[in-house]
């Protein structure tokens, strides 16, 4: 463990961890797993925060597990029931291709549809700047 304060980090899946190809599993986005591994290693709690459900949700969770990324929770923050009745999932930070401010690239390679996806190289720089990894 480091002296970095542990944060709850909401993590979207499609367009964030993998390229947008829902309901299928898209190709991995460069750098995603490496940065996620660093976040977990320093003690942050990752909450998979996705619109996926049932078997499509399981597919995403298994993908992360098989790639060694430990999740704290899925579409839930079990700690918040002690201090709020709000249905919003509390996170200190959200990494999501639909979040204003998350650095994005546009997917024009491999015949993709031009949808934006998370630029993990830039996300990593932001996390380092904020001393979160
Ligand atoms: Mg998304």
């Amino acid at each position: 463990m480091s002296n970095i304060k542990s944060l709850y980090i909401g993590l979207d899946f499609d367009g964030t961890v993998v390229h947008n190809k829902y309901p299928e599993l898209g190709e991995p986005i460069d750098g995603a797993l490496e940065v996620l591994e660093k976040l977990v290693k320093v003690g942050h709690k990752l909450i998979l925060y996705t619109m996926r459900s049932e078997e499509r949700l399981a597919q995403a969770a298994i993908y992360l597990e098989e790639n060694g990324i430990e999740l704290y929770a899925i579409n839930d923050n079990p700690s918040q029931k002690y201090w709020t009745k709000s249905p919003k999932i509390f996170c200190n930070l959200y990494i999501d291709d639909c979040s204003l401010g998350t650095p994005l690239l546009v997917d024009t390679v491999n015949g993709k549809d031009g949808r934006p996806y998370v630029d993990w190289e830039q996300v990593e720089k932001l996390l380092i700047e904020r001393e979160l990894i």
Side-chain angles (χ1 to χ4, degrees), residues 58-130:
Q59 191 179 36
I62 289 166
Y63 173 84
L64 289 164
E65 185 185 340
E66 286 181 348
N67 282 286
I69 305 302
E70 184 188 339
L71 293 174
Y72 170 70
I74 297 174
N75 287 334
D76 182 33
N77 184 336
S79 74
Q80 75 185 57
K81 65 183 175 210
Y82 302 106
W83 56 271
T84 182
K85 290 183 167 61
S86 171
K88 180 181 177 181
I89 296 167
F90 172 76
C91 293
N92 304 101
L93 193 69
Y94 299 83
I95 303 175
D96 188 331
D97 64 309
C98 289
S99 170
L100 182 67
T102 296
L104 300 173
L105 293 167
V106 177
D107 207 351
T108 54
V109 293
N110 304 322
K112 296 280 188 338
D113 62 1
R115 291 180 66 180
Y117 61 97
V118 171
D119 180 345
W120 282 94
E121 189 179 334
Q122 293 305 314
V123 168
E124 185 174 26
K125 283 182 185 170
L126 288 171
L127 291 167
I128 292 167
E129 277 173 26
R130 296 185 195 184

Side-chain angles (χ1 to χ4, degrees), residues 12-18 20 49-51 95-99 115-118:
D12 177 52
F13 191 72
D14 296 281
T16 298
V17 178
V18 299
N20 282 299
Y49 189 59
T50 173
M51 289 295 292
I95 303 175
D96 188 331
D97 64 309
C98 289
S99 170
R115 291 180 66 180
Y117 61 97
V118 171

Side-chain angles (χ1 to χ4, degrees), residues 27-68:
E27 294 293 312
I29 295 176
D30 287 346
L33 295 171
E34 291 80 359
V35 176
L36 293 172
E37 191 179 341
K38 289 179 187 178
L39 286 168
V40 173
K41 198 173 174 186
V42 298
H44 299 302
K45 296 180 174 73
L46 295 182
I47 296 177
L48 181 60
Y49 189 59
T50 173
M51 289 295 292
R52 283 178 173 252
S53 63
E54 300 175 323
E55 59 270 22
R56 300 300 181 189
L57 174 58
Q59 191 179 36
I62 289 166
Y63 173 84
L64 289 164
E65 185 185 340
E66 286 181 348
N67 282 286

